[in-house]
Amino acid sequence: MMTRALALFPLLACLAAAPAFAQSAAPSPIPERRIVVTGTGEAVAKPDMATLELGVVTEDSTAAAALSANNQAMARIVEDLKSAGIEPRDLQTAGLDIAPRYTRPDPNENRAPEIAGYTVRNQLRIRIRDLAAVGATLDRAVGLGANSLSGPAFTLADTSGLEAEARRKAVADAKARAELYARAAGIGLGRVLRIDENGGERPYPVAAPRMMKAEAFDAAMPVEGGELTISASVTMTWAIAD
């Protein structure tokens, strides 16, 4: 009896493995034929808001004196901007820095640099919602002691409408491309299988930070906002119709 049981065991093992073998040998499903196309779209509009940073840089022999002079100048600028119609929500301190200034000893004297004084830098970020007032705002601030500038950068207070327009154009562009390729290849387009949005662009003109002298603003500064372009890009996948 033991010998017969051992003889049957290999046969039973083969029979048990047969369904698994048959299942693994089944043909793989044929992947759905598809066409993938990327489309782009742009929307252009004139800006309705500008942002810039004005700075006050002061130097003195002590940190307290440099800071006091800086505070007074920045307080005058802030109050003047508010009186000119800039709302408090559009004024934000962007940075405050107090740093020592060191002497530069003669290399032959063999002595360490010493503190010669202190420099205080205070940056104020401003949003200007009336573009016609950008030049006048710069003039007023410089006249009150601002001696550094970064900007202006032009933007829109609400970009949602422009973004939606760019996306609609991107989808239309992708569809037009897909139809062109399908006709050229002699195939038909089926249903849309997938839509992926790619990164868009929002280029803004930005001026480099620079030091300024008050006499450079004897006349009102001309400022041109130009146009802003927002772009969208989508990748769409269609099934190929039989």
Side-chain angles (χ1 to χ4, degrees):
M1 294 294 295
M2 180 64 69
T3 303
R4 180 178 297 178
L6 291 175
L8 290 175
F9 180 77
L11 177 61
L12 294 175
C14 291
L15 292 175
F21 175 77
Q23 183 177 5
S24 63
S28 300
I30 299 175
E32 187 174 19
R33 297 180 304 159
R34 60 189 61 190
I35 180 172
V36 182
V37 176
T38 297
T40 59
E42 289 186 348
V44 179
K46 292 185 177 181
D48 59 13
M49 185 171 67
T51 61
L52 56 91
E53 287 189 12
L54 293 174
V56 175
V57 181
T58 54
E59 296 180 346
D60 212 308
S61 57
T62 66
L67 183 59
S68 176
N70 195 289
N71 289 341
Q72 293 176 24
M74 186 58 76
R76 289 194 301 268
I77 292 172
V78 170
E79 290 304 314
D80 186 76
L81 292 174
K82 289 179 180 179
S83 66
I86 304 295
E87 300 181 26
R89 64 177 177 145
D90 293 328
L91 299 172
Q92 182 183 46
T93 298
L96 177 62
D97 179 69
I98 304 175
R101 291 182 294 108
Y102 291 92
T103 60
R104 295 183 178 180
D106 189 306
N108 299 322
E109 294 183 358
N110 194 26
R111 61 186 180 88
E114 298 177 352
I115 294 178
Y118 290 85
T119 301
V120 176
R121 292 179 173 84
N122 193 349
Q123 293 292 121
L124 179 68
R125 185 175 295 118
I126 307 168
R127 287 186 298 203
I128 303 175
R129 300 178 187 273
D130 179 10
L131 294 187
V134 173
T137 300
L138 293 172
D139 291 343
R140 293 168 68 98
V142 171
L144 291 171
N147 51 13
S148 70
L149 165 66
S150 176
F154 296 96
T155 184
L156 290 166
D158 183 7
T159 61
S160 58
L162 212 59
E163 292 169 355
E165 180 183 351
R167 289 180 177 123
R168 284 192 293 269
K169 290 182 177 180
V171 170
D173 181 54
K175 184 178 179 181
R177 289 170 184 257
E179 291 173 345
L180 185 151
Y181 295 146
R183 286 194 301 269
I187 59 177
L189 286 181
R191 61 192 180 91
V192 176
L193 300 176
R194 180 168 177 171
I195 301 177
D196 295 305
E197 183 175 28
N198 308 319
E201 288 185 314
R202 300 180 188 178
Y204 301 128
V206 180
R210 58 186 182 272
M211 297 295 293
M212 304 179 299
K213 295 182 179 180
E215 54 267 25
F217 290 82
D218 291 337
M221 173 184 283
V223 176
E224 298 294 335
E227 290 184 333
L228 296 178
T229 300
I230 289 183
S231 68
S233 175
V234 294
T235 299
M236 299 183 63
T237 304
W238 280 266
I240 295 178
D242 294 330

